[in-house]
Amino acid sequence: MTRRPIMAGNWKMNNLMNDSASLTLGILDGIKDLNESQMPEVIIAPTFTSLALVSRLIKDSSKIALAAQNCHWENSGAYTGEVTVGMLKDLGCKYIIIGHSERRQYFSETDEMINKKAKSILAGGLLPIICCGETLEQRESGVTDEHIASQIRAALSGLSNEEIAKSVIAYEPIWAIGTGKTCDSAEANRVIAMIRNVVKEISDSSTADSIRILYGGSVKPATIEEQMSMSDIDGALIGGASLKADSFNEIITNSMKVAV
Ligand code: 13P
């Protein structure tokens, strides 16, 4: 089974509307001559305040999909400051990132909340990008695999095989995020293969073969080729290097040098 690679830019809490517009136009310009059938699926995740603008800028291009960085699991109600899946669909989002370690760490998001969000996103017709990852302390104490496996089991709990197959997982070791220190490609691939195995245990092998699992953590133009040459790494979730059109575009083109 060939899984279409994904190159996803998570802009985090950056960019006023003007910055988002120039970044989007820079990406569109950089990928305009690429053959779409050979391209990865390119996803960008601006802040909520730039979604409407970016959505308009990319509406005539089939080469970029839009993602939000978070959502609430309820469809409406008294949840001041929150945003529903329906609102994000209305803005043209196809994906929603959930369970990012920054949300787990700074906003106390639990596995249970992430599972409710995954269900709500799929019920609303969008696709979740579910993040998981261990801290340095967990890695050093040898509990990486059991921690990640438990995050994945919780996030996917109660989903049908069909829903799991179209979801996306991002393995982002916390110690590699924004530190410039990428996880060794072979080790990232080992953890991602382990995640695929957990998916197989809770669903079946064709579901595990279909789900796309990305690596995230200090991905740069210089690292992506090696990462994409690994058997189980299906793409990347990119923070810092997605904030400049040049480096994001270079990541996309470098990723295409690897035959899938
Ligand atoms: P960096 O690429 O800046 O390390 O961020 C990774 C990340 O958290 C993407 O979601």
Side-chain angles (χ1 to χ4, degrees):
M1 134 84 61
T2 40
R3 298 178 289 266
R4 185 174 182 206
I6 290 179
M7 293 296 137
N10 174 8
W11 296 359
K12 306 193 181 184
M13 196 175 71
N14 293 293
N15 292 345
L16 299 180
M17 283 201 280
N18 261 338
D19 309 310
S20 295
S22 9
L23 179 51
T24 305
L25 294 174
I27 298 168
L28 283 169
D29 190 52
I31 63 177
K32 69 177 188 304
D33 296 327
L34 300 180
N35 180 338
E36 196 175 342
S37 65
Q38 287 159 12
M39 276 181 69
E41 187 172 359
V42 174
I43 303 173
I44 51 178
T47 54
F48 286 136
T49 54
S50 285
L51 281 173
L53 173 63
V54 172
S55 183
R56 278 199 297 279
L57 292 174
I58 64 173
K59 80 173 186 324
D60 294 328
S61 169
S62 50
K63 291 180 173 173
I64 306 187
L66 192 63
Q69 298 174 19
N70 184 29
C71 66
H72 196 273
W73 56 86
E74 294 290 348
N75 292 327
S76 63
Y79 298 97
T80 301
E82 292 292 325
V83 170
T84 69
V85 172
M87 292 166 186
L88 297 169
K89 189 175 181 185
D90 196 28
L91 282 173
C93 289
K94 176 173 177 192
Y95 291 95
I96 305 179
I97 298 171
I98 53 172
H100 194 282
S101 58
E102 289 148 15
R103 296 216 55 88
R104 294 181 192 254
Q105 185 181 349
Y106 307 130
F107 305 99
S108 309
E109 288 199 3
T110 62
D111 284 334
E112 194 193 351
M113 289 156 80
I114 292 153
N115 178 238
K116 285 194 213 168
K117 291 181 186 199
K119 286 178 175 157
S120 171
I121 291 167
L122 287 155
L126 302 192
L127 303 170
I129 299 176
I130 303 164
C131 303
C132 61
E134 80 287 359
T135 60
L136 187 57
E137 203 182 359
Q138 286 167 325
R139 173 157 285 269
E140 285 173 348
S141 58
V143 298
T144 297
D145 291 15
E146 66 186 84
H147 173 69
I148 305 284
S150 110
Q151 285 185 321
I152 295 304
R153 285 177 194 281
L156 301 180
S157 167
L159 301 188
S160 68
N161 290 356
E162 195 183 49
E163 288 174 324
I164 294 175
K166 57 189 179 187
S167 299
V168 177
I169 292 174
Y171 167 56
E172 301 204 302
I174 296 170
W175 48 270
I177 296 178
T179 57
K181 211 166 110 183
T182 39
C183 178
D184 175 74
S185 298
E187 171 58 10
N189 193 55
R190 186 197 67 76
V191 176
I192 288 177
M194 185 278 299
I195 295 171
R196 203 176 297 288
N197 203 42
V198 171
V199 172
K200 185 172 158 189
E201 278 166 32
I202 56 179
S203 57
D204 57 26
S205 42
S206 90
T207 305
D209 273 350
S210 304
I211 190 169
R212 288 173 296 172
I213 312 181
L214 318 180
Y215 166 76
S218 299
V219 172
K220 298 181 230 29
T223 66
I224 193 69
E225 246 185 281
E226 183 181 286
Q227 286 153 344
M228 291 309 291
S229 71
M230 297 285 145
S231 60
D232 279 77
I233 302 182
D234 300 324
L237 183 56
I238 304 135
S242 74
L243 290 172
K244 294 267 178 295
D246 285 353
S247 52
F248 190 57
N249 291 338
E250 207 180 332
I251 288 174
I252 295 167
T253 47
N254 286 354
S255 79
M256 292 167 64
K257 294 179 185 162
V258 183
V260 280

